[in-house]
């Protein structure tokens, strides 16, 4: 069999043209498309990697913020607890101070009322004692209270004669003050007693309506008093002790 080289060459040429055409119009676009797709896939993967990194960074930031938020919340709660405890302590201290002040005020009020009642009772007792003493002196001795005190004062002066003489100094006069004028007999007797006890000193008598019943004797810088007030001081002291004992429960009102 003979070979038709023209036909072979034509077939080869046709094949080469076909290959070139396929490469030019078929394989190249396909390869370009594959390359483009690969590039797009690579870009997408790169973007996905970046997105994953950003997501991881965001997650880390979120966790950090969450931890910080929890820490801040704990700090806020702890601070709120401290403030509430401080406010509670302040309120308790204020209430305690207020209660103590109220107790002090109440005790002061009770003390004022006790003193007021004691003073009223003392005054009533003084007046009663004074009236009874006056009546007893009038009924039993037929003399006034001032006369009895003046007579008693002379006896008391004998024990303090030296002190009165020193207190008199250069003074030559003594003054006896009573609320009501002493009778002449009592004045005469008292002047004689003063002259005998304190030679060279004369006695002058004065009256003072504001003075408590009794006698006040002034000699120089010294003053000696025998008044109802002085005699009722012991009564007041005993009465105060008695009331305090009753108030504290140590003594019952009916006990002796």
């Amino acid at each position: 069999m003979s070979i038709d080289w023209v036909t072979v060459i034509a077939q080869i040429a046709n094949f080469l043209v076909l290959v070139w055409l396929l490469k030019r119009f078929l394989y190249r676009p396909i390869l370009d498309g594959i390359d483009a797709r690969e590039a797009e896939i690579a870009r997408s993967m790169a973007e996905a990697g970046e997105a994953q990194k950003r997501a991881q960074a965001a997650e880390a930031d979120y966790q950090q913020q969450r931890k910080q938020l929890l820490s801040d919340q704990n700090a806020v709660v702890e601070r709120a607890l401290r403030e509430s405890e401080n406010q509670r302590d302040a309120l308790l201290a204020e209430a305690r101070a207020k209660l103590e002040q109220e107790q002090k005020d109440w005790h002061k009020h009770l003390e004022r009322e006790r003193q007021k009642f004691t003073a009223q009772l003392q005054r009533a007792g003084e007046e009663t004692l004074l009236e009874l003493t006056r009546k007893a002196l009038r009924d039993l001795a037929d003399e006034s209270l001032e006369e009895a005190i003046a007579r008693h004062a002379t006896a008391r002066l004998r024990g303090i004669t030296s002190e009165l003489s020193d207190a008199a100094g250069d003074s030559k006069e003594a003054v006896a003050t009573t609320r009501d004028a002493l009778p002449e007999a009592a004045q005469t007797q008292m002047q004689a007693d003063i002259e005998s006890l304190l030679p060279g000193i004369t006695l002058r008598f004065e009256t003072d309506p504001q003075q408590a019943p009794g006698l006040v004797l002034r000699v120089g810088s010294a003053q000696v008093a025998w008044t109802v007030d002085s005699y009722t001081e012991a009564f007041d002291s005993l009465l105060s002790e008695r009331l305090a004992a009753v108030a504290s429960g140590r003594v019952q009102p009916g006990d002796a």
Side-chain angles (χ1 to χ4, degrees), residues 5 20 28 31 39 109 115-116 126 129 135 139 160 175 177 180 182-183 194 215 222 232 234 243 249:
W5 291 104
W20 179 82
R28 178 54 57 189
L31 292 176
H109 173 72
Q115 292 177 355
K116 181 179 178 181
E126 290 175 357
L129 179 61
K135 187 176 186 303
D139 293 345
I160 57 174
V175 180
T177 306
D180 300 319
L182 286 173
I194 291 297
L215 175 73
T232 55
L243 290 175

Side-chain angles (χ1 to χ4, degrees), residues 101-172:
Q101 185 61 42
E102 289 179 353
Q103 290 178 344
K104 291 180 181 179
D105 294 340
W106 176 246
H107 287 312
K108 289 180 181 178
H109 173 72
L110 290 179
E111 180 64 20
R112 287 195 299 269
E113 291 297 321
R114 187 192 68 80
Q115 292 177 355
K116 181 179 178 181
F117 174 73
T118 302
Q120 293 175 348
L121 190 60
Q122 175 190 352
R123 179 54 57 189
E126 290 175 357
E127 293 175 356
T128 303
L129 179 61
L130 177 59
E131 291 301 322
L132 290 175
T133 303
R134 287 183 184 276
K135 187 176 186 303
L137 288 172
R138 287 194 301 268
D139 293 345
L140 300 177
D142 194 22
E143 64 179 351
S144 67
L145 177 62
E146 284 77 10
E147 288 179 286
I149 291 178
R151 179 167 48 80
H152 177 70
T154 301
R156 295 290 299 274
L157 287 175
R158 298 183 188 279
I160 57 174
T161 301
S162 59
E163 289 83 352
L164 291 176
S165 179
D166 294 339
D170 297 333
S171 177
K172 300 300 180 182

Side-chain angles (χ1 to χ4, degrees), residues 32-50:
D32 291 342
I34 292 173
D35 292 339
R37 183 59 178 171
E38 289 179 352
E40 183 178 356
I41 291 172
R43 185 172 61 256
S44 297
M45 292 182 66
E47 291 177 354
E50 293 294 331

Side-chain angles (χ1 to χ4, degrees), residues 163-171 173-174 217-224:
E163 289 83 352
L164 291 176
S165 179
D166 294 339
D170 297 333
S171 177
E173 183 182 59
L217 178 65
R218 293 190 298 275
V219 181
S221 59
Q223 176 175 298
V224 186

Side-chain angles (χ1 to χ4, degrees), residues 51-71:
Q52 184 178 7
K53 291 180 181 179
R54 288 195 299 270
Q56 292 175 350
E59 182 180 3
D61 185 62
Y62 166 76
Q63 294 296 335
Q64 182 64 30
Q65 291 181 358
R66 183 172 177 274
K67 291 180 180 179
Q68 185 64 37
L69 180 60
L70 291 176
S71 177

